[in-house]
Amino acid sequence: MAVTLEQAQRVGYTCLKALLRFAFMVANNLVAIPSYVLYLIMLQPLRILDSKSFWYIEGVLFKWLLAMVASWGWWAGYTVVEWGDDVKAVSEDEAMVLVNHQATGDVCTLMMCLQDKGTVVRQMMWLMDHIFKYTNFGIVSLIHGDFFIRQGRTHRDQQLVLLKDHLEKYYRSRNRKWIVLFPEGGFLRKRRETSQAFAKKNNLPFLKHVTLPRLGATQVILKTLVAPQENGTPSGGDAVRKESKSKGLQWVIDTTIAYPKAEPIDIQTWILGYRQPTVTHVHYRIFPVKDVPAEPEALTNWLYQRFIEKEDLLTHFYETGAFPPPQGQTKAISREMTLSNLWLVAIQSLAFLSGGMWYCLFQYLYHCLF
């Protein structure tokens, strides 16, 4: 089929836009990430003198970095509409966020939609696949204190011990509030067939839009971060108890991400922006942690039930274009989340100004020394 001039121009414009966006993203990373690292190196004396203030500043810088990532999608027209419970109401409490996982764009979507949730982004901890440690953002996550988990049966027991140690050492000493994990343990397209075979073998529901979750990390987080009921003292070791007056983990936020036509956005699309503007839909349901069972078998059933509900939510969304109303209500209310373009421009400008400042400083030091 012959290509018309209009089609050729459209393709050319899309390629040019993608190239310019990629160049901007590379430049953004080259100034923002080194600046984050250098600022924190300079602030190491403060870390010794006043650890709380140090981690507060680190959290602000971390939030700004995530806002830069969010801006790449926001300016491409990849926006978010939210449904279900309003998580702003628990933004100052400790919460575990359970998210379904379809593509690399899920993380970018969360980076965007959590930006307007108070202090959440700067005080959150991520659990992610260990491969992300070797990406451009890996050094940032390492400094922030995120946990990189290695998948696979042979590593499972060791990784859960390391996760427990990591939470006890870093979670409350760095004043973390929310912890985000993907209990499916991988992307939907990679795990669906295995999950369906397991479900058939064990007489469990057949799921198409999610996979059956894994228990390990969820159980470790609950055991480590939930405050014992008998005395209200936060769990997690003597050092943590002294540094925190935390009430412990209080909420589980079941988060379901849905893409129109079940076509997820990946990180390449988020960066290059070659896909048409898309609205991603995010549904929240908040559970008090006291309603979550601690015993392994009961917790497994509870976690399975959450993902069976996700299956129903996504089935309804793909059929109607909206999530169903909450139980007892006749209409579901959506909320369009927004970001300030002025704020995003200010943060990007600060990143490039910081990059220029560090470059001039090192040039000066080089000439002084040599």
Side-chain angles (χ1 to χ4, degrees):
M1 186 176 71
V3 177
T4 66
L5 178 61
E6 183 180 353
Q7 290 173 325
Q9 289 175 333
R10 190 182 303 117
V11 170
Y13 171 74
T14 300
C15 292
L16 177 61
K17 182 177 71 172
L19 182 63
L20 292 173
R21 284 176 58 89
F22 181 74
F24 176 79
M25 184 276 296
V26 171
N28 199 181
N29 275 268
L30 288 175
V31 295
I33 293 176
S35 292
Y36 166 89
V37 174
L38 289 169
Y39 277 128
L40 295 181
I41 290 174
M42 295 292 290
L43 288 171
Q44 286 304 302
L46 178 63
R47 182 177 181 180
I48 297 170
L49 297 171
D50 187 352
S51 177
K52 184 177 180 181
S53 295
F54 174 85
W55 289 112
Y56 175 88
I57 295 170
E58 184 279 333
V60 172
L61 296 175
F62 184 78
K63 179 176 180 177
W64 289 354
L65 283 178
L66 267 59
M68 292 177 202
V69 177
S71 73
W72 306 339
W74 182 259
W75 288 333
Y78 304 148
T79 57
V80 171
V81 166
E82 298 177 310
W83 303 75
D85 295 333
D86 186 356
V87 296
K88 288 182 181 179
V90 299
S91 62
E92 297 299 321
D93 299 332
E94 289 190 26
M96 175 173 63
V97 185
L98 307 176
V99 193
N100 62 313
H101 209 10
Q102 300 174 69
T104 48
D106 298 340
V107 174
C108 300
T109 296
L110 291 172
M111 289 180 176
M112 175 186 286
C113 65
L114 295 179
Q115 282 290 326
D116 67 344
K117 306 300 187 293
T119 62
V120 164
V121 174
R122 67 176 178 84
Q123 292 182 290
M124 71 195 311
M125 179 182 286
W126 297 76
L127 264 66
M128 58 188 78
D129 192 280
H130 79 288
I131 197 67
F132 287 101
K133 185 189 298 184
Y134 308 105
T135 66
N136 60 317
F137 212 77
I139 183 64
V140 175
S141 292
L142 280 169
I143 293 172
H144 184 70
D146 296 328
F147 184 77
F148 299 93
I149 192 164
R150 187 180 293 272
Q151 304 292 344
R153 188 174 301 175
T154 56
H155 304 288
R156 190 170 302 162
D157 291 341
Q158 181 195 30
Q159 290 298 298
L160 294 179
V161 171
L162 292 174
L163 173 59
K164 182 179 184 297
D165 292 342
H166 185 87
L167 293 173
E168 291 178 344
K169 186 175 182 181
Y170 297 119
Y171 191 79
R172 295 201 175 97
S173 67
R174 298 186 180 184
N175 196 28
R176 299 295 172 241
K177 290 290 185 70
W178 283 25
I179 183 164
V180 181
L181 69 154
F182 301 91
E184 290 165 293
F187 296 138
L188 173 64
R189 67 180 186 276
K190 293 182 177 181
R191 290 208 64 245
R192 179 161 40 198
E193 186 175 339
T194 303
S195 175
Q196 289 173 346
F198 177 84
K200 183 177 181 180
K201 182 179 178 180
N202 292 274
N203 197 29
L204 294 167
F206 182 86
L207 306 176
K208 291 169 38 180
H209 306 304
V210 295
T211 65
L212 289 169
R214 295 172 176 174
L215 177 66
T218 304
Q219 187 177 31
V220 168
I221 291 168
L222 290 171
K223 281 186 174 181
T224 309
L225 299 182
V226 173
Q229 295 298 312
E230 61 271 16
N231 55 24
T233 302
S235 57
D238 292 338
V240 174
R241 291 190 186 103
K242 291 177 182 178
E243 293 180 9
S244 175
K245 296 180 181 178
S246 170
K247 297 177 182 178
L249 199 71
Q250 296 171 266
W251 310 99
V252 175
I253 303 174
D254 187 28
T255 303
T256 304
I257 298 176
Y259 299 95
K261 300 180 182 178
E263 297 175 353
I265 298 175
D266 55 28
I267 188 66
Q268 299 95 317
T269 307
W270 194 269
I271 292 170
L272 300 177
Y274 51 76
R275 182 167 166 177
Q276 291 298 310
T278 301
V279 179
T280 302
H281 296 256
V282 181
H283 183 280
Y284 306 104
R285 190 177 176 197
I286 302 173
F287 295 88
V289 77
K290 64 181 177 61
D291 294 341
V292 180
E295 194 274 327
E297 184 176 350
L299 178 59
T300 300
N301 292 332
W302 185 89
L303 200 56
Y304 281 176
Q305 189 57 40
R306 300 290 72 77
F307 277 76
I308 292 168
E309 289 175 2
K310 284 180 184 293
E311 176 78 10
D312 294 338
L313 286 170
L314 290 168
T315 299
H316 190 281
F317 177 84
Y318 295 139
E319 290 175 352
T320 66
F323 283 112
Q327 190 172 7
Q329 299 183 23
T330 58
K331 185 178 180 181
I333 305 298
S334 63
R335 305 176 299 277
E336 185 176 351
M337 72 83 46
T338 60
L339 292 176
S340 167
N341 286 314
L342 181 61
W343 179 61
L344 294 176
V345 169
I347 291 173
Q348 293 284 10
S349 300
L350 179 62
F352 283 99
L353 287 171
S354 295
M357 179 194 72
W358 290 115
Y359 175 77
C360 292
L361 178 60
F362 283 118
Q363 284 283 90
Y364 174 76
L365 291 174
Y366 177 81
H367 287 301
C368 288
L369 293 173
F370 303 102

